[in-house]
């Protein structure tokens, strides 16, 4: 977890645009870069990150379906090297490395650990969780209503989009009430986690982030070693799992599974909700359409997952020399599968730029991956997206963006979403002046 990626540099880089995967420019609008990559260098070596960028839907599917050749051992390594002060802080918390669990496990323990997670997030369990998701959503929208009434505006990304998935995940994992950390603290920890491992950070920033990640790791370790976990919780399920050699799950592996789920289970869902709400509010009449027809919320969520998935890109490493998209890759080549590019590939989708909730091929996208490591939490994420979008639109049909300025986007190699989303309500003439963000050009 704490090691730098170590790609084998190719003899010659392939012709393609200069790309800065960490820039705000790329985060805000990556689509022209993806189009150029797909056209001119679909398997392109990026010297800045030492990663081979794979941008075509077809090539990405091939990689995902050949897990023996393209292993996920490197998926959780930090994309920029971690410096000594950060490493020391993590080390003091007992966090030297995350042993293979799910995201970074190509070995024979993967199927048994994955089996436990699949059971916990099965379609049946997700159906049973629906009333809980709805209750939490309404409670969080109550808080938003209060904020709108008192201040006239609210940050949807930092409010409902961030808080609902954390609360849902704590419930789904069966974290006992007395062991729960504050919602904002958990969200801050996981934000620190993804920034430390997928962001471009200097020594000082790494130090700050490592302090938060160390606290997160200590909390996870306490959680994972509790002996009173109920049978129907994640830890109860892990206690019943037997590794291929018949031994119980070692404590450090249980911590790794918990961390995989805590991070993957809510960060991505929060980001998906922020993006879906932003695009609906930004498009003419779309929010009203969602308010009038809650049935559109499922299709809108699906299109968000296709066109702008929150997990934008994910890594693999080749176990042998191979050829991909006509390009020879050496053994040990680290590659980045650009899911967002796949979702906007015109060879895979008609008019890929259009968000089209009725699109027929919507379920075939790669927003949740494919094959051996396909996301086990996809159904839960879909339900959360549908419930939050339809409930927010029904409750605030007059919601709008407080400013026309593009919101800031997360600048990480593998995650992308608006980090702030100021919203306000359209007031009737008798209700006074609508809120306008300071210095903004409110519509
Ligand atoms: C919008 C929300 C989500 C998105 C976009 C997303 C995306 C993905 C993708 C693309 C993968 C495949 C990674 C690979 O091929 O290596 C994946 C795997 C995974 N996801 Fe999700 N995910 C989301 C929500 C969730 C939720 C709610 C959970 C909670 C259970 C979850 C847990 C996992 C786990 C544990 C894996 C690793 C599975 C394995 O390696 O066997 N994700 N996710």
């Amino acid at each position: 977890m704490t090691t730098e990626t170590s790609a084998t540099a190719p003899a010659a880089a392939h012709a393609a645009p200069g790309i800065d995967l960490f820039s705000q420019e790329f985060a805000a609008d990556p689509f022209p870069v993806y189009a150029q990559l797909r056209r001119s260098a679909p398997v392109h070596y990026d010297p800045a990150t030492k990663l081979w960028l794979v941008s075509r839907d077809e090539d990405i599917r091939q990689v995902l379906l050949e897990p023996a050749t393209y292993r996920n051992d490197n998926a959780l390594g930090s994309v920029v090297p971690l410096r000594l002060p950060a490493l020391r802080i993590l080390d003091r918390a007992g966090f030297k490395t995350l042993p293979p669990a799910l995201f970074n496990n190509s070995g024979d323990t993967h199927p048994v650990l994955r089996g436990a997670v699949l059971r916990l997030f099965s379609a049946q369990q997700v159906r049973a969780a629906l009333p809980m998701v709805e209750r939490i959503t309404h409670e969080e929208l109550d808080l938003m209503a209060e904020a709108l009434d008192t201040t006239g505006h609210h940050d949807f990304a930092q409010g409902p989009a961030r808080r609902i998935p954390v609360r849902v995940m704590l419930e789904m994992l069966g974290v006992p009430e007395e062991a729960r950390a504050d919602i904002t603290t958990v969200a801050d920890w996981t934000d620190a986690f993804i920034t430390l491992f997928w962001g471009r950070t200097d020594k000082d920033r790494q130090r700050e982030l490592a302090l938060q990640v160390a606290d997160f790791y200590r909390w996870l370790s306490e959680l994972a070693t509790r002996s009173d976990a109920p049978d129907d919780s994640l830890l109860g399920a892990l206690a019943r799992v037997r590794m291929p050699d018949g031994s119980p799950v070692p404590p450090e592996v249980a911590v790794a599974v918990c961390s995989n789920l805590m991070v993957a289970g809510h960060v991505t869902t929060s980001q998906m909700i922020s993006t879906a709400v932003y695009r609906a509010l930004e498009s003419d009449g779309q929010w009203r359409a969602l308010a009038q027809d809650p049935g559109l919320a499922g299709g809108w969520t699906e299109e968000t997952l296709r066109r702008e998935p929150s997990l934008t890109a994910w890594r693999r490493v080749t176990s042998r020399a191979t050829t991909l998209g006509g390009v020879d890759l050496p053994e040990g080549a680290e590659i980045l599968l650009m899911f967002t590019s796949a979702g906007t590939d015109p060879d895979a989708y008609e008019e890929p730029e259009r968000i089209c909730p009725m699109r027929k091929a919507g379920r075939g996208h790669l927003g949740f991956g494919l094959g051996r490591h396909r996301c086990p939490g996809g159904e839960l994420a879909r339900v959360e997206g549908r419930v939050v979008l339809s409930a927010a639109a029904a409750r605030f049909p007059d919601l709008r963006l407080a400013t026309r300025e593009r919101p800031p986007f997360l600048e990480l190699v593998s995650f992308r979403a608006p980090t702030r989303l100021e919203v306000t309500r359209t007031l009737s003439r008798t209700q006074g002046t609508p809120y306008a963000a300071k210095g903004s050009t409110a519509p």
Side-chain angles (χ1 to χ4, degrees):
M1 193 76 209
T2 52
T3 53
E4 163 191 11
T5 56
S6 59
T8 313
H14 292 258
I19 299 165
D20 182 355
L21 295 176
F22 300 96
S23 69
Q24 182 55 219
E25 196 189 352
F26 179 69
D29 185 13
F31 300 106
V33 174
Y34 290 138
Q36 202 180 342
L37 277 173
R38 283 190 307 264
R39 260 196 321 267
S40 61
V43 179
H44 165 67
Y45 184 74
D46 175 38
T49 53
K50 304 190 178 109
L51 292 167
W52 290 87
L53 311 182
V54 182
S55 50
R56 282 195 320 213
D57 179 272
E58 190 189 339
D59 295 333
I60 295 176
R61 280 176 202 269
Q62 180 185 334
V63 169
L64 292 172
L65 293 174
E66 288 181 29
T69 305
Y70 301 97
R71 294 167 62 96
N72 69 356
D73 307 333
N74 63 338
L76 302 182
S78 57
V79 289
V80 302
L82 294 190
R83 311 281 291 273
L84 218 50
L87 289 173
R88 279 205 196 105
I89 292 166
L90 296 177
D91 202 43
R92 276 202 295 275
F95 184 11
K96 289 187 174 38
T97 175
L98 278 183
L102 294 155
F103 279 106
N104 57 342
N105 192 348
S106 299
D108 62 352
T109 58
H110 176 261
V112 286
L113 297 170
R114 181 175 167 88
V117 173
L118 282 173
R119 281 190 291 281
L120 208 65
F121 291 89
S122 67
Q124 196 186 353
Q125 299 284 29
V126 171
R127 254 196 315 279
L130 182 62
M132 175 270 287
V133 174
E134 288 174 337
R135 171 179 55 79
I136 289 176
T137 300
H138 287 294
E139 286 170 6
E140 292 296 329
L141 293 181
D142 285 346
L143 294 178
M144 172 162 151
E146 266 175 52
L148 286 170
D149 284 348
T150 49
T151 65
H153 60 100
H154 195 52
D155 183 342
F156 202 102
Q158 294 298 314
R162 190 168 192 240
R163 291 174 55 86
I164 293 168
V166 178
R167 292 184 60 187
V168 169
M169 195 45 55
L170 290 171
E171 295 278 342
M172 291 299 289
L173 297 184
V175 178
E177 212 49 73
E178 70 281 6
R180 288 192 188 178
D182 167 70
I183 311 296
T184 312
T185 306
V186 176
D188 288 347
W189 282 338
T190 47
D191 280 350
F193 189 95
I194 61 171
T195 310
L196 186 62
F197 292 106
W198 286 275
R200 181 163 56 198
T201 46
D202 62 17
K203 194 166 87 179
D204 291 342
R205 181 81 177 119
Q206 285 184 2
R207 212 183 146 275
E208 277 167 31
L209 295 165
L211 287 168
Q212 285 182 284
V213 172
D215 284 344
F216 179 44
Y217 192 78
R218 285 190 194 97
W219 178 72
L220 284 172
S221 305
E222 274 173 33
L223 205 63
T225 47
R226 283 176 77 101
S227 54
D228 58 347
D231 274 0
D232 59 352
S233 68
L234 170 69
L235 298 171
L238 286 178
R240 291 189 295 278
V241 168
R242 287 294 165 267
M243 302 300 254
D245 64 1
S247 63
V249 176
E252 67 281 8
V253 174
V255 178
V257 173
C258 288
S259 110
N260 281 193
L261 286 170
M262 273 314 298
V263 177
H266 82 82
V267 164
T268 47
T269 311
S270 296
Q271 294 165 351
M272 173 192 73
I273 293 171
S274 293
T275 304
V277 168
Y278 171 54
R279 292 301 177 204
L281 288 172
E282 157 200 76
S283 319
D284 236 5
Q286 201 45 245
W287 188 257
R288 289 253 170 214
L290 281 165
Q292 281 156 12
D293 181 0
L296 288 177
W300 194 264
T301 303
E302 212 55 45
E303 279 289 86
T304 304
L305 287 161
R306 172 189 65 80
R307 185 179 173 272
E308 292 186 277
S310 29
L311 204 70
T312 54
W314 207 241
R315 279 170 290 168
R316 291 288 192 270
V317 57
T318 53
S319 61
R320 60 176 175 85
T322 187
T323 303
L324 181 66
V327 175
D328 291 335
L329 298 176
E331 178 184 341
E334 303 219 41
I335 65 181
L336 187 69
L337 305 174
M338 304 179 109
F339 296 133
T340 312
S341 177
T344 47
D345 184 342
D347 287 340
Y349 303 95
E350 252 176 58
E351 294 188 83
E353 283 302 325
R354 271 190 61 212
I355 306 176
C356 179
M358 312 305 271
R359 187 186 289 273
K360 284 216 174 52
R363 288 244 153 182
H365 62 71
L366 295 177
F368 289 128
L370 187 70
R372 183 184 157 125
H373 296 281
R374 184 181 158 77
C375 181
E379 274 321 298
L380 178 66
R382 283 186 167 117
V383 165
E384 289 185 66
R386 211 171 57 225
V387 168
V388 176
L389 261 185
S390 56
R395 183 136 178 206
F396 309 107
D398 54 353
L399 204 68
R400 64 181 176 82
L401 295 171
T403 165
R404 281 198 181 118
E405 280 164 25
R406 185 152 57 186
F409 275 78
L410 206 55
E411 301 156 335
L412 305 178
V413 161
S414 290
F415 301 86
R416 173 175 177 271
T419 51
R420 267 203 339 264
L421 204 55
E422 281 297 329
V423 292
T424 185
R425 298 172 86 166
T426 308
L427 302 183
S428 69
R429 281 177 197 288
T430 51
Q431 284 174 297
T433 318
Y435 162 79
K438 209 174 163 205
S440 78
T441 49

